[in-house]
Amino acid sequence: MVRRQNSKYEAVIELPPRGPVEALVYWRDPKKSGIVFGSIMVVLLSLTFFSFISVVANLSLLALAAAFGFRVYKTVQQAIQKTSDGHPFKEILELDLTLPSEKVRQTSDLAVTHINAIVSELRRLFLVEDFIDSVKFGLGLWMLTYVGSWFNGMTLIILGVVALFSLPKVYETNKAQIDQNVEVVAGKINEITAKVKAAIPIGKKAEEKKEQ
């Protein structure tokens, strides 16, 4: 569902309950977060030097070799000790990895809602429904041209992963101070935007048409 409010399209979305992803990015269990973060970084750094197929093939071979070696080791150990512990990966093999159809539908509905909201907002910005918003959007695109000249796509992804595993924890630790500074900056931006809108006739005409 998408609704329009204050000349902007907003998606009415029911956020999913907090789960393991939040626990990872907030480092609730440093060991698990460290393993996940390290694994992701190894894969991304590998992709900067090798092709995607080579990285997937080599990492898969490494995982297979480790599992094979561990399986042989446990089999020999059971034979020597004459135990009947069974397959060392029995618990993992018995895990139900099938995707619940209801969960898939919820995820699909959430994705469609996001896509519809983004498409509506892009149409509004590109067709200059609101002069100021489109100018700000243009400035953002102009800044992205410089970002693109400084970093490639993989570097941005790596920086994004680092930010995902660092900024939430930093914000949680310094929430009061950050909120105070953000509120001050937001107030200044709103003040400047209001002055610009008041000084630009196009902005005034657009507001008058919306009120009518």
Side-chain angles (χ1 to χ4, degrees), residues 89-97:
F89 299 117
K90 182 179 179 181
E91 293 183 2
I92 300 177
L93 289 171
E94 292 178 349
L95 286 176
D96 184 12
L97 300 180

Side-chain angles (χ1 to χ4, degrees), residues 131-132 191-201 203:
F131 184 78
I132 299 299
E191 182 180 348
I192 294 172
T193 302
K195 290 180 179 179
V196 172
K197 282 186 175 181
I200 298 177

Side-chain angles (χ1 to χ4, degrees), residues 96-118:
D96 184 12
L97 300 180
T98 57
L99 293 174
S101 57
E102 183 63 27
K103 189 68 175 179
V104 173
R105 282 196 295 270
Q106 290 178 0
T107 304
S108 299
D109 292 341
L110 185 62
V112 169
T113 303
H114 278 295
I115 292 171
N116 289 336
I118 291 171

Side-chain angles (χ1 to χ4, degrees), residues 179-193:
D179 285 346
Q180 183 178 0
N181 293 329
V182 169
E183 186 177 351
V184 172
V185 173
K188 292 293 183 182
I189 293 175
N190 291 334
E191 182 180 348
I192 294 172
T193 302

